[in-house]
Amino acid sequence: MTIKDIEVLIGKGESATLEFKKTTGQLERGMESLCAFLNGEGGCVLFGIGDDGEMKGQQVADSTKRTIAECLNQFEPFPLVNVDYIPLDEDTGRQIVALSVSGNSEKPYCYKGRAYSRNQSATSVMSQIHYNDLLTQRNWGGLRWEQKTNPNISLSDLDEEEIRRTVRVGIEKGRLPESSLVAPLTDTLTRMELMSDGKLTNAAVVLYTNHARMDYAQCQLRLARFKGTTKEEFIDNRQVGGNAFKLLDEAMSFFFKHLSLSGVVRGLIREEELTLPYKALREAVVNALCHREYNSIGAATTIAIYDDRVEINNLGRFPLQIDFNDSLEAPLSVPHNPLIAQSFYYRELFESWGRGIKLMADECRKHNVPLPEFNTFNNNMVSTVFHIPQWAIARENDLDEHKNERENEHENERENEHGIDATNICGNGQRETSTRQEQILSLLKENNRLSITQLSKLLGIPYISVRRELEKMSEKVRHVGPKKGGRWEFVALEAD
């Protein structure tokens, strides 16, 4: 390596494959980055380069070289590292130290008992799930989990109709040859790389199992609708198992059940649409199923719907060297399970040329909703978040208000049919009207932002009864905000 080579590298800046260090005084941090490069696609650590890319160089004594050699002996397995000492200034004897490695099949590598990974220009301790994945690939000769065969699975464990459906759609879309339609099932599965030497692969089970399997616990989907914006109270909670296409269907049904619909007029036709774009949600679920770390049987893929957002979480990691924001605009195609993704591609449910995330963004812009957010946790969990627009939340609140009003009016009518006054009579013969008013005033003193619906729920009395009591206390309370909705305030403090 020459000074010109160093200048070319410096011009590229620090990245997923390049790290600058001022001196070998930062040798420990440099070795951690070198370990990350070994666990990735390779890279180079340059000592004697400032954070701004200035070539400063450093003195290199025999003790410096011994220290570097001792550090390299701390790697497991022992790596092949090119160590170059490039003269920078002959008068001062200052040099650039370059340690470079290439990616190989011996990964994962550890430095002093710890494995490291690289995400863009940052080095961090590798997650357990990432480590296990690399270790499995090494032990299985580079085979991914989806490629491994399972001798305990037979054709009778697969949903043949689901397989044939994939073939039919693939032929219609020009993604499979027409001969696939009449080919024996075993030939079709072999062509799709879901069968090897007469044995079915894990990918075949994930895609086409005909029942929920206890030995494939990772093929589960948890669905939840929470009340409000926290996980304190469930409205709906369920867990389903089965093949990936069934899980996708279950997810989309859950969205239609719990996300409100809005009417959109196109031409002379009125169409009903979800408040969040259907295609964007579907793409997010497909991504979760295709990119999941199936090697780990940990937490199931989850979908959580709140009043203000939808979260889709799956075990996995966002592709290294990829920036979340860039991926919203530029094509991205790094499927973690390419065989699983391929069957979704045949069904026209997966964008093989990496347009999936951009499709989500485009659909959100088209429907005037916020762009999706992507987050990672502990480098082993990916979360896709769709925020429900404020106009949809406000409309939903109005609908709830009207619904509660109608329900309580019906309840009041029912009470009247049975000869019961809406104000009712207490057991001691005294009317409870004054008690209700005191309760309402007490609640408004504590929280001056309550609606009639909220008061009705807190007191456990009909909506119309609360409204009637508020109207009787016009000197003590006042309504703030729109006629439909709004809130009530307590104003007569002196009357306490």
Side-chain angles (χ1 to χ4, degrees):
M1 189 174 289
T2 66
I3 284 295
K4 287 187 177 180
D5 295 328
I6 298 296
E7 289 174 346
V8 171
L9 288 175
I10 291 174
K12 297 178 180 179
E14 290 188 305
S15 66
T17 57
L18 183 62
E19 176 91 342
F20 300 154
K21 294 297 179 187
K22 292 180 182 178
T23 70
T24 49
Q26 299 174 295
L27 192 58
E28 284 296 305
R29 301 286 81 80
M31 289 296 172
E32 291 171 2
S33 292
L34 194 68
C35 179
F37 295 151
L38 283 164
N39 288 324
E41 303 304 318
C44 182
V45 181
L46 297 177
F47 295 92
I49 308 297
D51 293 337
D52 57 358
E54 181 183 355
M55 290 191 291
K56 299 177 181 294
Q58 71 166 74
Q59 298 292 335
V60 178
D62 288 342
S63 59
T64 304
K65 296 180 180 180
R66 284 196 300 271
T67 302
I68 291 174
E70 290 170 0
C71 285
L72 292 178
N73 283 327
Q74 298 293 318
F75 280 85
E76 294 181 77
F78 188 78
L80 177 62
V81 181
N82 294 318
V83 183
D84 294 300
Y85 300 95
I86 303 100
L88 178 63
D89 190 325
E90 293 183 0
D91 294 334
T92 62
R94 300 180 77 82
Q95 302 179 56
I96 303 295
V97 181
L99 306 182
S100 55
V101 296
S102 60
N104 60 72
S105 60
E106 291 300 311
K107 62 186 77 169
Y109 284 86
C110 293
Y111 175 66
K112 291 187 175 181
R114 280 191 168 185
Y116 294 86
S117 61
R118 189 80 167 176
N119 189 350
Q120 298 182 64
S121 60
T123 296
S124 60
V125 176
M126 182 179 291
S127 69
Q128 186 67 48
I129 191 170
H130 188 182
Y131 182 85
N132 289 340
D133 188 34
L134 292 178
L135 189 63
T136 300
Q137 290 184 38
R138 184 174 77 185
N139 292 340
W140 282 75
L143 285 179
R144 299 183 306 276
W145 180 88
E146 64 169 356
Q147 293 176 297
K148 299 175 192 175
T149 58
N150 187 336
N152 298 319
I153 301 297
S154 65
L155 289 175
S156 62
D157 293 307
L158 302 186
D159 186 336
E160 183 174 351
E161 178 54 36
E162 197 71 71
I163 299 171
R164 296 300 184 192
R165 186 177 296 113
T166 298
V167 171
R168 287 195 297 272
V169 175
I171 292 172
E172 289 173 4
K173 303 302 178 182
R175 299 178 176 186
L176 281 172
E178 292 188 10
S179 59
S180 302
L181 193 61
V182 295
L185 190 61
T186 53
D187 289 356
T188 299
L189 292 171
T190 300
R191 178 190 291 274
M192 297 165 70
E193 297 184 62
L194 302 179
M195 178 174 274
S196 177
D197 296 328
K199 298 178 182 178
L200 292 166
T201 64
N202 286 326
V205 180
V206 170
L207 288 163
Y208 300 114
T209 181
N210 55 20
H211 62 281
R213 303 183 60 91
M214 295 302 295
D215 53 340
Y216 281 81
Q218 58 270 64
C219 299
Q220 301 281 330
L221 180 65
R222 291 191 62 185
L223 305 162
R225 172 63 169 103
F226 295 100
K227 182 178 181 180
T229 59
T230 68
K231 295 182 178 180
E232 293 180 0
E233 185 178 348
F234 284 106
I235 293 176
D236 193 358
N237 181 28
R238 56 191 302 236
Q239 180 164 320
V240 295
N243 66 58
F245 296 108
K246 177 186 176 183
L247 298 185
L248 176 60
D249 287 343
E250 292 282 356
M252 299 315 297
S253 296
F254 199 73
F255 287 138
F256 274 101
K257 179 179 179 182
H258 290 291
L259 290 177
S260 60
L261 294 168
S262 60
V264 177
V265 177
R266 291 192 172 91
L268 299 176
I269 301 174
R270 177 183 173 87
E271 299 179 2
E272 294 293 328
E273 293 185 348
L274 294 175
T275 51
L276 290 174
Y278 169 87
K279 289 183 179 179
L281 292 171
R282 185 184 65 186
E283 187 66 31
V285 176
V286 169
N287 275 354
L289 295 172
C290 289
H291 292 287
R292 190 196 194 283
E293 289 276 6
Y294 285 99
N295 189 50
S296 172
I297 59 173
T301 298
T302 64
I303 295 175
I305 301 177
Y306 301 85
D307 286 358
D308 63 344
R309 68 192 186 281
V310 171
E311 294 182 0
I312 301 170
N313 301 318
N314 66 288
L315 279 176
R317 58 190 185 276
F318 207 76
L320 301 180
Q321 299 98 39
I322 297 297
D323 181 81
F324 294 122
N325 295 322
D326 289 346
S327 66
L328 289 172
E329 304 300 333
L332 167 65
S333 183
V334 193
H336 190 69
N337 304 287
L339 296 183
I340 294 173
Q342 187 72 6
S343 276
F344 275 89
Y345 169 68
Y346 293 146
R347 294 280 281 266
E348 207 176 28
L349 295 170
F350 187 84
E351 295 288 343
S352 67
W353 293 106
R355 294 192 297 269
I357 292 180
K358 187 174 184 300
L359 181 149
M360 291 186 226
D362 290 344
E363 284 295 311
C364 288
R365 292 191 186 98
K366 176 181 175 182
H367 291 80
N368 193 31
V369 303
L371 295 179
E373 293 180 3
F374 301 94
N375 304 299
T376 58
F377 304 99
N378 302 320
N379 202 30
N380 65 0
M381 179 70 73
V382 176
S383 177
T384 304
V385 183
F386 293 91
H387 292 281
I388 298 174
Q390 287 299 316
W391 59 263
I393 296 174
R395 187 193 62 198
E396 188 68 19
N397 289 338
D398 272 351
L399 291 173
D400 286 343
E401 189 89 12
H402 297 324
K403 179 182 177 182
N404 288 331
E405 183 173 353
R406 288 195 302 272
E407 288 177 351
N408 283 290
E409 285 176 349
H410 292 158
E411 177 65 19
N412 191 58
E413 291 173 359
R414 187 188 65 79
E415 291 177 353
N416 289 334
E417 287 176 3
H418 289 79
I420 303 174
D421 193 304
T423 56
N424 214 338
I425 304 294
C426 293
N428 60 8
Q430 296 180 348
R431 299 179 67 83
E432 63 173 346
T433 300
S434 60
T435 303
R436 282 182 176 175
Q437 292 181 3
E438 291 170 1
Q439 291 173 336
I440 292 171
L441 292 174
S442 176
L443 288 172
L444 290 176
K445 288 177 185 179
E446 294 176 5
N447 183 354
N448 238 12
R449 302 182 63 83
L450 294 174
S451 66
I452 297 180
T453 299
Q454 291 168 324
L455 287 167
S456 173
K457 290 179 179 179
L458 289 170
L459 295 171
I461 59 178
Y463 178 100
I464 195 168
S465 298
V466 176
R467 186 175 67 183
R468 185 162 40 236
E469 299 300 341
L470 287 167
E471 291 172 351
K472 292 178 182 178
M473 298 186 291
S474 58
E475 296 180 356
K476 298 181 180 180
V477 297
R478 68 183 176 193
H479 183 261
V480 178
K483 184 176 180 181
K484 292 184 178 180
R487 59 187 173 84
W488 288 82
E489 292 182 344
F490 176 70
V491 295
L493 295 177
E494 69 279 2
D496 187 21

